[in-house]
């Protein structure tokens, strides 16, 4: 069967679900972040796929670049928070991090 | 069935399989390895979608940057004996229901929407075109990105330092 | 374009296969003679003490953070550099603004000391510190 | 001989009868095989050179004994077969995996490191049209693919479950990523000058002799970029004086402390293959690549391959020379070099070359 837009979108949907599953179920903050990265990757596949099949110009690809850049900035800040959490609680399990008092 | 189709199925299987390892393996380092191959698979998908520049950026930022940072985070914050490196799951049953529902809705929407296809993008180098667009049409987002990066750098350094 | 990327993939796959062949060949040829002492973790001939977990210097992490931000900057610089000549002065000025904003970040982490490697902050053991009398003597000799 | 010729003709005919896609695949696999073989051979040559050069620098002779009985090769002497003998030894050596190690990842790490190193070879141009993969994003691709090596090193260190392995891996990773920034920034000067990421285009821009090499463009900014890149590449290769990750007086052998036999040999091979890779990259970007330094003189036939290999080996010689001349730096000095010396200078080179081009 010829691979078309639907195939790429379905792949992105599966990746998105896997990432969402990790975000919802994992206790470990680093694993949750990995799930977020999967979700962003799924979104990016959609952007690039639409750029190829529907828009046929490079706007979608540029959006994808900006998504990757934002993801990198987010990951840097999020991991800094995880590290800070660890320094305070000696654990990075999210269910133990329910205190705002630090 | 031509080669790009076969390549699509190979990369899709690689991506989904490694993402599965990432999600379901109990050891965080194995999750990171799963993520490594998932990123690589997605880069392959980008190549098939005529986005060579994005594919390289994907490897450079995700594998060379974010994944290394994640691994450093694992190494720094976990006792690396075999027991403690595990990651536990919670609320499995509701999660399966919700995520299954989301996936079903997504797939249904994808298959039932009549997409207005407009041919397909040619396989040609995109780097120069992206550079040109970034300097003209996307100039404002580009400059804002630098401010975002500055904020992220200062914020992350500040949070990581304060202990 | 696809052909070139297929070639890259061939290289990656072939590299893995090459390692696989070598390791398998070595498996077949080598003599295997396991012994608990031989299989223990190497610690300069001493018995291994504790597990491999050590509190890492947090600097490794801060360096990786800063690296990630600058790597993103490089992603923007590469496509710009390829079209720099044809776009001329305007693109150059735009990129200088971009680079300048990020150099502010570099200056910030530089001034705040995030690029310094942590010196040991451990307090020296008072038992090992030179006694007051000895210190006086040392100073007396020095002066 | 006629029999062989007939055989070859027959095989060629059979090859031509194959479906086109199969032919393409066979060609690609053959190309990869040739490059992998060349990488292995060049790595062996590199090891031999390192031993001999270091020996002569220290007024020793180095390996002298290992030789064969084959008539012509016998006369070369000077222990030329030493590294071959070492390779054979490593092949039959027992592969010890510590009981505490994570066996799967311990096995996977050399695969990742070597495959990523070999993948870098696919875009190197060895002559006009003599390149396995003429990627348009070639230079960018090399930087990206080398990040797999860092992941492989971290995995090797973690899976060994050994203090020195893990510490060596962390040091190695932090060092490689720190020096990737000035290295990439230095490359920008070349890309700005040529306006292409394709390595073939970069070589073509330098054709016509030694005075056209990119190192002489926009003085002094390109020379500055060249030095920044050279120093950063030394650190990325974990070569002396930046061989902190393998400081044997402190952390034994760094991330590969728990590796032995063929798995260790794969790391070693990747290391020397990487040296050659960097040599070719420096030759291509700054020293004219496969073009002859004398204009059109000796610039055709097999000579392009000769020139680029010669230039690469000159770079390798300087790397070895530095290793046996300079003492090792400390970790804090390393970070100082990367972030407070090389990165600002790389920015200066980039901005300076940009202004020069604007004028």
């Amino acid at each position: 069967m010829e691979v078309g837009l639907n195939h790429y979108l379905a792949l992105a949907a599966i990746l998105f679900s896997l990432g969402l599953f990790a975000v919802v179920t994992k206790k470990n903050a680093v694993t949750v972040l990995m799930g977020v990265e999967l979700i962003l990757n799924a979104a990016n596949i959609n952007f690039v796929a639409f750029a190829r099949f529907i828009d046929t110009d490079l706007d979608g690809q540029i959006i994808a670049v900006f998504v990757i850049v934002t993801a990198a900035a987010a990951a840097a800040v999020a991991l800094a928070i995880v590290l800070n959490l660890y320094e305070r609680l000696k654990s990075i399990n999210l269910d133990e991090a329910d205190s705002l008092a630090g | 069935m031509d080669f790009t189709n076969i390549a699509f199925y190979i990369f899709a299987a690689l991506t989904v399989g490694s993402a599965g390892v990432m999600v379901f393996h109990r050891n965080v380092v194995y999750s990171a390895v799963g993520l490594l191959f998932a990123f690589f698979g997605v880069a392959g998908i980008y190549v098939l979608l005529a986005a060579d520049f994005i594919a390289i950026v994907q490897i450079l930022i995700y594998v060379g940057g974010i994944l290394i940072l994640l691994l450093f985070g694992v190494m720094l914050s976990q006792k690396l004996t075999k027991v403690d490196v595990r990651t536990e799951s919670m609320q499995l049953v509701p999660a399966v229901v919700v995520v299954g529902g989301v996936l079903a809705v997504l797939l249904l929407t994808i298959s039932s929407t009549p997409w207005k296809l407009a041919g397909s993008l040619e396989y040609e180098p995109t780097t120069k075109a992206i550079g040109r667009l970034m300097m003209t049409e996307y100039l404002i987002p580009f400059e804002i990105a630098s401010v975002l990066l500055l904020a992220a750098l200062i914020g992350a350094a500040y949070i990581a330092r304060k202990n | 374009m696809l052909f070139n990327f297929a070639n890259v993939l061939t290289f990656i796959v072939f590299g893995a296969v090459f390692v696989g062949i070598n390791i398998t060949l070595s498996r077949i040829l080598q003599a295997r003679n396991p012994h608990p002492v031989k299989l223990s973790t190497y610690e300069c001939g001493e018995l291994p003490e504790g597990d491999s977990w050590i509190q890492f210097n947090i600097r490794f992490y801060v360096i990786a953070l800063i690296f990630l931000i600058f790597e993103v900057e490089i992603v923007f610089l590469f496509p710009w550099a390829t079209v720099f000549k044809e776009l001329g002065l305007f693109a150059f000025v735009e990129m200088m603004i971009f680079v300048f904003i990020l150099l502010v970040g570099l200056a910030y982490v530089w001034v705040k000391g995030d690029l310094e490697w942590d010196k040991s902050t451990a307090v020296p053991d008072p038992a090992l510190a030179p006694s007051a009398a000895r210190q006086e003597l040392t100073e007396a000799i020095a002066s | 001989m006629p029999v062989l010729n007939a055989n070859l003709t027959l095989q060629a005919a059979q090859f031509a009868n194959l479906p086109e896609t199969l032919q393409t695949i066979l060609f690609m696999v053959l190309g990869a095989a040739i490059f992998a073989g060349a990488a292995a051979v060049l790595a062996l040559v590199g090891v031999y050179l390192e031993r001999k050069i270091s020996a002569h620098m220290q007024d020793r002779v180095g390996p002298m004994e290992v030789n064969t009985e084959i008539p012509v090769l016998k006369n070369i002497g000077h222990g030329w077969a030493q590294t071959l003998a070492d390779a054979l030894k490593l092949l039959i050596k027992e592969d010890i995996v510590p009981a505490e190690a994570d066996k799967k990842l311990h096995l996977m790490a050399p695969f990742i490191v070597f495959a990523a190193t070999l993948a870098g070879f696919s875009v190197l141009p060895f002559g006009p049209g003599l390149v396995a993969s003429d990627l348009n994003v070639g230079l960018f691709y090399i930087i990206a693919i080398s990040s797999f090596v860092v992941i492989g090193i971290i995995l090797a260190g973690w899976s060994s479950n050994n203090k020195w392995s893990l510490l060596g891996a962390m040091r190695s990773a932090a060092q490689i990523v720190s020096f990737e920034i000035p290295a990439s920034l230095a490359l920008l000067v070349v890309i700005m000058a040529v306006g292409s990421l394709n390595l073939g285009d970069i070589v073509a821009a330098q054709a016509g002799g030694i005075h056209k090499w990119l190192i002489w463009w926009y003085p002094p900014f390109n020379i500055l970029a060249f030095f920044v890149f050279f120093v950063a590449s030394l650190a990325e290769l974990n070569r002396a004086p930046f061989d902190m990750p393998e400081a044997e007086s402190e952390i034994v052998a760094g991330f590969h402390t728990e590796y032995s036999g063929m798995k260790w040999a794969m790391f070693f091979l990747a290391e020397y293959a990487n040296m050659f890779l960097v040599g070719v990259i420096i030759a291509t970007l700054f020293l004219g690549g496969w073009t002859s330094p004398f204009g059109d003189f000796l610039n055709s036939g097999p000579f392009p391959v000769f020139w680029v290999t010669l230039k690469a080996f000159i770079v390798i010689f300087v790397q070895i020379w530095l290793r046996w001349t300079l003492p090792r730096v400390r970790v804090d000095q390393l970070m100082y070099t990367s972030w407070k010396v090389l990165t600002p200078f790389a920015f200066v080179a980039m901005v300076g070359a940009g202004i020069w081009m604007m004028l």
Side-chain angles (χ1 to χ4, degrees), chain C residues 9-119:
Chain C
L9 189 65
T10 320
F11 268 69
I12 295 172
V13 172
F14 192 85
V17 170
F18 182 79
V19 179
I21 290 172
N22 276 323
I23 288 179
T24 319
L25 200 64
S26 162
R27 259 291 143 80
I28 296 166
L29 291 174
Q30 72 189 233
R32 283 174 88 75
N33 210 349
H35 183 278
V37 175
K38 199 196 273 178
L39 295 183
S40 69
T41 301
Y42 178 78
E43 209 150 291
C44 297
E46 301 286 325
L47 285 178
E49 195 166 306
D51 53 40
S52 79
W53 187 73
I54 2 171
Q55 178 65 59
F56 283 108
N57 195 331
I58 192 168
R59 289 296 160 213
F60 282 122
Y61 193 75
V62 178
I63 292 287
L65 277 177
I66 299 169
F67 155 76
L68 181 60
I69 301 292
F70 276 87
E71 177 134 292
V72 171
E73 180 189 357
I74 282 162
V75 163
F76 282 123
L77 282 168
F78 267 77
W80 164 76
T82 56
V83 292
F84 164 66
K85 266 189 173 169
E86 48 187 277
L87 290 183
L89 187 63
F90 180 66
F92 185 70
V93 171
E94 290 305 331
M95 190 41 92
M96 283 310 111
I97 296 171
F98 181 87
V99 167
F100 175 76
I101 292 174
L102 276 158
L103 281 179
V104 172
L106 182 66
Y108 172 81
V109 288
W110 188 330
V111 169
K112 285 285 178 180
D114 286 317
L115 300 174
E116 311 285 338
W117 205 253
D118 251 3
K119 304 286 187 305

Side-chain angles (χ1 to χ4, degrees), chain D residues 264-315:
Chain D
W264 178 80
M266 285 300 133
F267 281 122
F268 196 62
L269 202 63
E271 206 177 306
Y272 278 85
N274 246 329
M275 265 173 85
F276 185 73
L277 184 76
V278 166
V280 175
I281 292 172
I282 290 178
T284 305
L285 296 184
F286 293 102
L287 307 176
W290 45 259
T291 59
S292 157
F294 314 112
D296 286 335
F297 179 65
L298 295 182
N299 200 16
S300 55
F303 280 104
V305 183
F306 166 75
W307 288 121
V308 71
T309 316
L310 178 73
K311 287 167 184 173
F313 270 110
I314 290 173
V315 174

Side-chain angles (χ1 to χ4, degrees), chain B residues 12-61:
Chain B
L14 176 70
T15 311
V16 172
S18 341
V21 170
M22 184 249 123
V23 174
F24 296 112
H25 208 287
R26 294 178 56 82
N27 185 324
V28 184
V29 181
Y30 276 80
S31 289
V33 175
L35 204 59
L36 168 73
F37 287 103
F39 287 155
F40 181 73
V42 173
I45 296 288
Y46 288 154
V47 171
L48 293 176
L49 284 169
D52 55 348
F53 179 72
I54 313 278
I56 306 288
V57 172
Q58 163 90 7
I59 299 282
L60 191 69
I61 298 289

Side-chain angles (χ1 to χ4, degrees), chain D residues 82-211:
Chain D
Q82 180 69 51
T83 41
L84 277 182
D86 286 343
L88 278 178
K89 178 203 78 175
L90 285 168
L91 194 63
I92 56 171
K93 196 172 169 176
E94 182 174 356
D95 179 18
I96 303 166
V97 182
E100 293 285 303
D102 188 316
K103 307 231 166 25
K104 279 184 219 152
L105 294 184
H106 193 265
L107 180 62
M108 192 190 266
F111 279 87
I112 295 180
V113 170
F114 188 82
T117 306
L118 188 68
F121 276 76
S122 62
V123 291
L124 298 182
F126 285 95
L130 208 61
V131 50
S133 170
D134 193 20
L135 270 188
N136 270 293
V137 282
L139 203 48
F140 206 26
Y141 158 81
I142 288 182
I143 299 174
I145 202 79
S146 61
S147 51
F148 277 96
V149 176
V150 186
I151 304 282
I153 286 174
I154 295 178
L155 286 182
W158 182 78
S159 64
S160 300
N161 205 358
N162 175 314
K163 298 185 187 81
W164 287 294
S165 298
L166 196 50
L167 193 53
M170 294 291 279
R171 275 190 187 181
S172 210
Q175 174 176 333
I176 295 175
V177 299
S178 293
F179 281 88
E180 205 173 307
I181 301 301
S184 314
L185 287 173
L187 293 183
L188 280 172
V189 178
V190 173
I191 300 162
M192 280 156 73
V194 180
S196 170
L197 290 169
N198 184 312
L199 290 167
D201 291 350
I202 293 171
V203 175
Q206 309 175 61
I210 192 164
H211 58 285

